[in-house]
Amino acid sequence: MGDDADPRGDGGLRDCGAGLATRSGDAPDAACWRRWAVIVPFGVYAGWTACATFVNIAEVAPGLGWDRFGMSTVAYGVVSIAAAGAISALVLWWTRGELAFLATVVWALIAIIVAARLRGHAPAIVVAAAFTIVAVVIVAITVSAERLRIRRPG
């Protein structure tokens, strides 16, 4: 293990992206290459992770004896969806409405809606996920419009 190795072992993906991002500046059409080779894949990865983390905790943790802070399954589901939405809104604000991230978050929330309907979960889960889709899309549109307004002269 070299001096620059990540002792926790969790920096490989980050380091790979950083390497691609710096190398992409040498290409003739660097902006396009960087977008499709770095930004889009990382946007998809981050978007899926933003939602999947909460879904995985909700699915696995109760089997390990965790009581969801004393909340019911439905209440914890709604809180988890709201937390995933809040994190997604922050990332969308920070990335100025990154489309790959937004599309993946919407895709994950639609998957939650479909799974909740197929499993017969309470309608509150479906409503929370649908509301979160609307909210993150509004955030993305708002920050994208602001970005476009700033770019336009006058």
Side-chain angles (χ1 to χ4, degrees):
M1 193 182 285
D3 292 337
D4 60 346
D6 185 358
R8 295 184 315 268
D10 60 356
L13 189 59
R14 179 195 64 229
D15 295 343
C16 178
L20 285 171
T22 50
R23 286 295 218 174
S24 67
D26 300 335
D29 53 348
C32 181
W33 189 91
R34 183 175 179 269
R35 172 118 185 105
W36 288 104
V38 179
I39 294 172
V40 169
F42 279 86
V44 170
Y45 175 76
W48 193 258
T49 302
C51 291
T53 300
F54 293 100
V55 171
N56 290 339
I57 291 170
E59 291 289 325
V60 174
L64 300 173
W66 186 57
D67 71 346
R68 297 176 301 267
F69 302 114
M71 290 187 268
S72 70
T73 304
V74 174
Y76 182 76
V78 170
V79 168
S80 293
I81 291 169
I87 289 170
S88 297
L90 286 172
V91 170
L92 285 165
W93 175 77
W94 183 62
T95 63
R96 291 174 278 162
E98 173 54 44
L99 186 59
F101 180 85
L102 172 66
T104 307
V105 167
V106 169
W107 172 31
L109 290 166
I110 290 171
I112 290 170
I113 291 171
V114 170
R117 299 280 304 200
L118 291 175
R119 293 180 180 178
H121 290 304
I125 301 291
V126 173
V127 170
F131 177 79
T132 304
I133 289 171
V134 171
V136 296
V137 168
I138 288 171
V139 168
I141 289 170
T142 302
V143 296
S144 294
E146 181 65 21
R147 180 182 64 200
L148 291 173
R149 187 184 69 75
I150 291 170
R151 282 188 186 169
R152 191 170 16 149

